[in-house]
Amino acid sequence: MSSNKLTKVFLFLLLSSVILSTGTIDYLKYDLDSAPKDLIWCGHSSENAIVLPELNSVYRSDDRGLHWKKLNDIFTNTGKDELDDNENEIGKVATILQSPADKTLLVFLGTQGINWVGEDCGRKITALNHGRRINEFRFHPTERGWGLASAYTLCEDFVGEPCKIYKEVYLTKDLGINWTQLGSYVVQFGWGVVEKKQIDKGVPKERILMTYEPRGKGDQTQTGWNYKVDFVYSDDFFKTTKVLASKGNKFLLTNHYLFVAQVVDQDTQEVLLLGTKSTHYDYDLQPIETNQKSFLEHSYTFLDTTLHSVFLHMNHFGDVSQYGHVYTSGPRGLKYNLSLRNNVRSSDNQCDFEKVNSVEGVYVANVISGKYIKLAKKEMEQYTMDVKERMGKEVATHQNK
């Protein structure tokens, strides 16, 4: 939710706190320490609200915004026991996650790796850790106590051998009391279901999806498309696994579809997008088809998948491209037609494309045109020449050794 939308929501909460009295209007004013960046409606009614401002404090209201309580002291006191002997920084809350299985259950991810579980909409807060700093957490869609978490190794883990930094993934079935390691050198992970309907159609609730390096060594590569990464899944918490896509690096699971980006050429960072229905017990990944055959594909941004069709931004022009093209799919999510050329994008795959929530099927977008396309192409050509020159020098240096 954007900051402007959150500000409007919060102003509405303040307006709802106005108290009418005889001949006058009294009001209660609440000052946050910064602008709100996230708001969670907690529980099964609209009584409870949690607000996270830009400076990472947390406020809770139990009466639709009439009164607010700042929770920072509670987080500090419960986080002290999780600090190592040589640490003194507990941090603040950076992200709030809400359980799909229980709307009163929250996880607060911290800025320094200390995290918290908030039960009963934050009235009971406990630390969430497993002896390692959690970076990511995924609630299970239907099982309240189940969760997946990731953490990076530390140099002190390797006694008498070189330090190796890579991502590990862990499973808990009791909200972090006990943990089981599932994988190492992990790129991406998640549950294999997003809602109960998929389980009802035969997808096991235990299914976990993961991309990782099965033969990872040394420090894990953190950027770029990688030949060594495979896309796998497991229905028994990684006692056994099945490879779905060799060289599959990233995936997206929705209510209707499963998409996987598979590396075609690591040197040119070219990829191919595979897709299938996410409601099937056995996946049948197939390459998507477009009506534009002359373009390479370097990255994808899924703009909207809420309907049975998919809006997909494809970056055809390389890492530093300032634009890409938008495609829309048919009902199976495998065939796409070009809908909008030169949609503006950033280097981290954020695109200027927004859904108008109040009107179904209406979107607004920015495009780049005219002389700006020529300037962008020149910048991309220069970047490509610089990369080739650097790679040539690295090869020559290697051959001389």
Side-chain angles (χ1 to χ4, degrees):
M1 189 179 294
S2 70
S3 179
N4 287 337
K5 291 178 182 177
L6 283 170
T7 300
K8 291 177 182 177
V9 170
F10 195 71
L11 286 174
F12 171 77
L13 291 174
L14 293 181
L15 288 172
S16 70
S17 301
V18 171
I19 304 170
L20 294 177
S21 61
T22 305
T24 62
I25 298 178
D26 297 328
Y27 65 93
L28 301 175
K29 181 181 179 182
Y30 300 97
D31 291 323
L32 303 184
D33 56 15
S34 56
K37 69 175 182 179
D38 196 8
L39 180 140
I40 302 288
W41 292 104
C42 187
H44 305 288
S45 68
S46 58
E47 295 288 331
N48 304 297
I50 306 288
V51 170
L52 178 66
E54 295 284 352
L55 293 181
N56 303 112
S57 301
V58 178
Y59 295 82
R60 187 186 72 229
S61 173
D62 300 329
D63 52 13
R64 300 187 182 184
L66 187 61
H67 299 90
W68 293 87
K69 180 180 180 181
K70 192 174 183 178
L71 306 181
N72 287 42
D73 289 344
I74 300 174
F75 289 113
T76 298
N77 292 332
T78 55
K80 286 179 179 177
D81 293 338
E82 301 301 322
L83 291 176
D84 294 334
D85 293 337
N86 61 340
E87 296 176 326
N88 55 19
E89 182 67 37
I90 295 173
K92 295 182 178 181
V93 174
T95 305
I96 304 175
L97 306 175
Q98 187 174 38
S99 169
D102 180 357
K103 297 300 183 181
T104 69
L105 178 62
L106 306 170
V107 161
F108 302 89
L109 296 182
T111 58
Q112 298 293 327
I114 303 294
N115 310 287
W116 299 266
V117 174
E119 300 189 69
D120 193 16
C121 295
R123 293 179 181 87
K124 178 185 177 184
I125 295 176
T126 55
L128 172 71
N129 265 306
H130 67 300
R132 199 181 295 285
R133 298 301 180 88
I134 294 173
N135 298 103
E136 304 163 286
F137 186 87
R138 306 278 189 271
F139 276 115
H140 192 277
T142 63
E143 297 298 316
R144 184 182 187 275
W146 290 15
L148 299 172
S150 72
Y152 282 93
T153 56
L154 304 171
C155 285
E156 49 262 38
D157 298 332
F158 304 96
V159 179
E161 57 179 309
C163 174
K164 294 173 286 187
I165 303 300
Y166 52 84
K167 183 192 290 188
E168 299 175 320
V169 167
Y170 295 83
L171 163 74
T172 181
K173 293 184 179 180
D174 49 22
L175 286 179
I177 298 174
N178 297 288
W179 296 91
T180 302
Q181 184 178 342
L182 299 181
S184 302
Y185 289 90
V186 176
V187 176
Q188 188 183 355
F189 65 97
W191 295 103
V193 292
V194 296
E195 60 179 1
K196 188 175 183 297
K197 288 181 181 179
Q198 291 166 316
I199 299 174
D200 294 339
K201 291 184 177 181
V203 181
K205 68 180 181 181
E206 298 86 359
R207 179 163 293 181
I208 297 172
L209 310 178
M210 185 181 293
T211 58
Y212 80 117
E213 292 186 54
R215 294 166 292 280
K217 296 180 180 179
D219 289 340
Q220 183 175 354
T221 301
Q222 301 294 333
T223 59
W225 301 111
N226 187 348
Y227 275 150
K228 299 178 181 178
V229 174
D230 293 335
F231 175 58
V232 303
Y233 76 87
S234 174
D235 293 336
D236 55 11
F237 304 119
F238 280 80
K239 294 181 178 67
T240 61
T241 61
K242 181 175 180 179
V243 178
L244 273 177
S246 176
K247 304 176 186 176
N249 277 214
K250 295 289 184 70
F251 66 87
L252 174 71
L253 182 73
T254 74
N255 302 37
H256 307 293
Y257 307 109
L258 170 64
F259 296 102
V260 182
Q262 184 181 51
V263 182
V264 174
D265 191 320
Q266 181 174 286
D267 294 331
T268 61
Q269 290 290 281
E270 183 186 349
V271 287
L272 175 70
L273 188 63
L274 312 176
T276 185
K277 288 287 189 180
S278 63
T279 53
H280 295 172
Y281 177 85
D282 291 315
Y283 298 128
D284 181 24
L285 288 171
Q286 300 291 330
I288 69 165
E289 299 177 20
T290 73
N291 59 350
Q292 302 292 311
K293 303 297 184 183
S294 59
F295 290 128
L296 300 177
E297 298 169 19
H298 294 278
S299 65
Y300 310 97
T301 301
F302 289 89
L303 304 170
D304 186 30
T305 61
T306 54
L307 303 176
H308 281 277
S309 62
V310 177
F311 285 81
L312 176 65
H313 177 109
M314 287 192 191
N315 169 19
H316 297 294
F317 310 108
D319 291 344
V320 296
S321 173
Q322 300 175 28
Y323 60 92
H325 298 338
V326 176
Y327 297 79
T328 54
S329 79
R332 293 184 61 235
L334 292 177
K335 293 187 177 181
Y336 289 77
N337 289 313
L338 178 63
S339 297
L340 181 67
R341 289 181 179 272
N342 307 327
N343 179 223
V344 175
R345 66 181 295 276
S346 64
S347 59
D348 60 350
N349 292 320
Q350 299 298 312
C351 304
D352 281 358
F353 187 99
E354 292 289 339
K355 180 180 180 181
V356 179
N357 292 320
S358 58
V359 186
E360 186 172 301
V362 177
Y363 302 83
V364 293
N366 266 340
V367 297
I368 191 170
S369 61
K371 65 179 182 179
Y372 297 103
I373 292 182
K374 294 181 180 179
L375 290 173
K377 285 182 177 179
K378 285 183 179 180
E379 290 180 3
M380 285 187 287
E381 290 171 357
Q382 184 61 51
Y383 174 80
T384 302
M385 290 173 60
D386 292 343
V387 170
K388 288 181 178 179
E389 182 180 352
R390 186 173 67 250
M391 291 176 63
K393 289 180 179 178
E394 289 176 354
V395 170
T397 302
H398 179 74
Q399 291 175 343
N400 291 332
K401 287 184 177 180

